[in-house]
Amino acid sequence: MKYALVTGGSRGLGRAICIRLAGMGIPVIINFRGNEIAAQEVSDIIAGNGGKSELMKFDVTDKVGVEAAIDEWERNHPEDYVGYLVNNAGIRNDGVMFMMTDEGWHGVLDTSVNGLFYVTRRLLPKMMMRGHGGRIVNVSSLSGLKGLAGQTNYCAAKSAVIGITRALAQETAARNVTVNAVAPGFIETDMTKDLPQEELIRMIPQKRFGKPEEVAHLVAFLCSEEASYITGQTISINGGLL
Ligand code: NAP
């Protein structure tokens, strides 16, 4: 069977993406870093909808941990492979550059960039060799396209995700593996709950934050058969905030 792996699938966008992909009949591996209760909740929702899922705990920044978790999964699933990968795990740690600590800088880049690399590199050979094609969707951000004061670390990470997407798409195109990115604006999740929403929505033409489910629909489309000729692209989803 062809599984989907969603990094950071326990909360926010990842949670909605897991539920949406499972609703398409795809068995989903819900990755989480620490919050097992939230990950189990996602799995229970999927089961309640008649879908199939498994939990997989690893920290995307831990190369050894990533490889060990996927090695173990492959041992237990000799007939299966991960044909859909959503690199969603990400963190924010905002601050102006002149006050930014090493930890603040590296933590954000490690999660969005190095984490994406460790997971994707590990899964690519099977995805390309199986001959059934594959889908990789990377979660970037409006910040990665536009740049935002107080987020040099996050903007660097999310711009890198776009660059990786463009380059990797060219490496995998002939193997029928598409690689795209989504660039959400402000979406209602734990990551944005400390932001002044009332103030920010004044800048958003649609006058609201997006919902995780709206991003999940876009990711689901990019994972579908209908999106097979779309690769190397970054699709914005931001209520008109340019
Ligand atoms: P969130 O609500 O804070 O959830 C973050 C998820 O990532 C959680 O499932 C968390 O797992 C997981 N995670 C964090 N670090 C991890 C690591 N090192 N290894 C494995 N999993 C890790 O965030 P979100 O808003 O859903 O954001 C998801 C993605 O969308 C991120 O890449 C973010 O940058 C991007 N994004 C978000 C927005 C927005 O407005 N919300 C906008 C643009 C882009 P645990 O539950 O185990 O902690």
Side-chain angles (χ1 to χ4, degrees):
M1 280 180 87
K2 193 168 163 180
Y3 277 70
L5 170 61
V6 180
T7 67
S10 47
R11 290 183 290 122
L13 302 189
R15 168 192 163 104
I17 292 165
C18 287
I19 294 168
R20 183 68 178 79
L21 293 180
M24 290 163 72
I26 301 169
V28 174
I29 304 166
I30 305 163
N31 160 251
F32 65 103
R33 177 186 44 179
N35 197 337
E36 182 156 3
I37 292 174
Q40 187 57 51
E41 234 179 73
V42 181
S43 182
D44 293 345
I45 292 169
I46 290 173
N49 295 341
K52 196 173 161 199
S53 67
E54 296 177 21
L55 304 193
M56 188 186 279
K57 180 177 180 175
F58 60 75
D59 179 333
V60 295
T61 68
D62 170 13
K63 181 176 70 170
V64 175
V66 166
E67 303 223 338
I70 299 174
D71 286 350
E72 190 189 343
W73 185 86
E74 285 185 349
R75 274 197 301 278
N76 296 331
H77 291 260
E79 303 299 324
D80 305 323
Y81 78 109
V82 175
Y84 308 89
L85 168 62
V86 183
N87 285 304
N88 163 76
I91 57 168
R92 253 181 64 212
N93 194 344
D94 296 352
V96 289
M97 185 181 269
F98 80 93
M99 289 176 68
M100 192 169 289
T101 60
D102 287 1
E103 294 73 35
W105 178 264
H106 290 295
V108 168
L109 277 131
D110 273 351
T111 310
S112 279
V113 183
N114 297 339
L116 180 155
F117 168 61
Y118 296 142
V119 177
T120 309
R121 176 180 62 178
R122 176 63 184 76
L123 293 173
L124 265 174
K126 279 208 170 152
M127 207 186 272
M128 293 203 296
M129 276 161 28
R130 286 288 172 129
H132 306 302
R135 295 279 186 271
I136 298 174
V137 181
N138 298 323
V139 180
S140 178
S141 168
L142 175 63
S143 296
L145 288 165
K146 176 172 158 163
L148 201 63
Q151 289 201 320
T152 51
N153 51 356
Y154 190 76
C155 294
K158 294 304 188 181
S159 296
V161 167
I162 292 170
I164 294 167
T165 299
R166 288 188 180 138
L168 184 60
Q170 295 174 56
E171 293 182 12
T172 62
R175 299 287 184 149
N176 202 21
V177 174
T178 66
V179 187
N180 291 291
V182 295
F186 292 104
I187 312 294
E188 271 174 14
T189 68
D190 290 346
M191 184 179 275
T192 53
K193 70 179 179 206
D194 63 326
L195 299 178
Q197 190 169 144
E198 287 308 308
E199 204 176 293
L200 289 166
I201 61 174
R202 282 192 225 123
M203 302 176 340
I204 304 170
Q206 286 195 353
K207 301 296 175 213
R208 65 174 179 89
F209 276 23
K211 297 187 188 323
E213 292 73 21
E214 292 174 309
V215 179
H217 287 309
L218 173 57
V219 172
F221 170 66
L222 291 171
C223 287
S224 71
E225 201 42 46
E226 287 79 8
S228 56
Y229 202 53
I230 302 173
T231 196
Q233 305 304 308
T234 298
I235 318 282
S236 289
I237 172 161
N238 56 31
L241 183 61
L242 303 174

